[in-house]
Amino acid sequence: MKTIKCMMDHLYWADGRILDALEKSKTKNKDLLKLVRHVAVAETVWLSRLQGQGSTQYLLWEEAEGLMKIRTMFEENAEQYRVYIEGLEESKLDEMIDYANLSGIPFRTSIRDILLQVILHGQYHRGQINRLLRIESAEPVQVDYITFVKR
């Protein structure tokens, strides 16, 4: 649990740093904003599955309504993940969760693998966001795990 908690703390930190970099860049790039929104919505989707709720109401690839709305989504996700993880016992990590993907296809995945998916999915897309920031001549932000633990 200690490792997962630390990796989730890194996720909250890295999400915030990416949002700060996007605000600083003043980007209007719709694809870039759509990508960061996708990360926030994907975190919400997986959280709803962990909580035993449906997720088919979410749309992963919609245009963003603005960075403030996205920041609110990330903050709400972080708060709810913290509550979820705080109540999670290590012995439950390998418990299986039944859910349907956004197309309605049923799946069964362990809590551990879902949490790792959330962690790795966000890191993958933060790398893409940093690349797009660089293409726009904006300053990318350091979001590596080692930077997080050294701060």
Side-chain angles (χ1 to χ4, degrees):
M1 277 305 291
K2 182 180 175 185
T3 300
I4 287 178
K5 284 181 180 180
C6 192
M7 291 176 76
M8 289 300 292
D9 286 341
H10 168 258
L11 176 136
Y12 314 138
W13 171 84
D15 285 345
R17 291 194 38 105
I18 281 291
L19 287 167
D20 292 346
L22 288 166
E23 286 174 356
K24 185 177 176 183
S25 77
K26 298 183 182 354
T27 186
K28 301 294 183 212
N29 181 323
K30 289 183 181 201
D31 290 332
L32 183 50
L33 296 174
K34 189 183 221 182
L35 183 58
V36 73
R37 181 196 171 277
H38 167 79
V39 176
V41 173
E43 288 179 12
T44 304
V45 165
W46 286 110
L47 181 64
S48 70
R49 292 170 180 166
L50 288 167
Q51 294 171 330
Q53 302 166 4
S55 60
T56 56
Q57 71 273 28
Y58 298 106
L59 299 172
L60 286 173
W61 292 106
E62 276 192 333
E63 298 244 339
E65 297 177 30
L67 277 175
M68 281 309 297
K69 179 143 178 132
I70 296 168
R71 184 178 290 278
T72 299
M73 288 170 48
F74 277 119
E75 289 169 355
E76 289 172 358
N77 286 341
E79 182 179 323
Q80 290 186 46
Y81 271 107
R82 282 185 179 104
V83 168
Y84 177 82
I85 290 170
E86 211 42 53
L88 183 63
E89 296 175 25
E90 189 161 358
S91 62
K92 299 285 187 185
L93 283 173
D94 293 315
E95 187 174 290
M96 300 302 280
I97 301 286
D98 292 307
Y99 63 94
N101 71 7
L102 297 181
S103 300
I105 299 169
F107 285 92
R108 186 173 174 88
T109 306
S110 72
I111 292 172
R112 179 188 315 273
D113 287 340
I114 289 172
L115 291 173
L116 290 173
Q117 166 62 23
V118 171
I119 292 162
L120 296 171
H121 177 260
Q123 193 65 357
Y124 170 76
H125 285 307
R126 284 188 292 275
Q128 291 178 315
I129 292 164
N130 264 332
R131 182 176 180 276
L132 291 170
L133 282 170
R134 181 167 281 138
I135 289 170
E136 289 194 355
S137 299
E139 191 65 33
V141 64
Q142 182 58 257
V143 292
D144 283 347
Y145 179 78
I146 199 69
T147 303
F148 167 74
V149 296
K150 289 193 301 188
R151 66 186 167 89

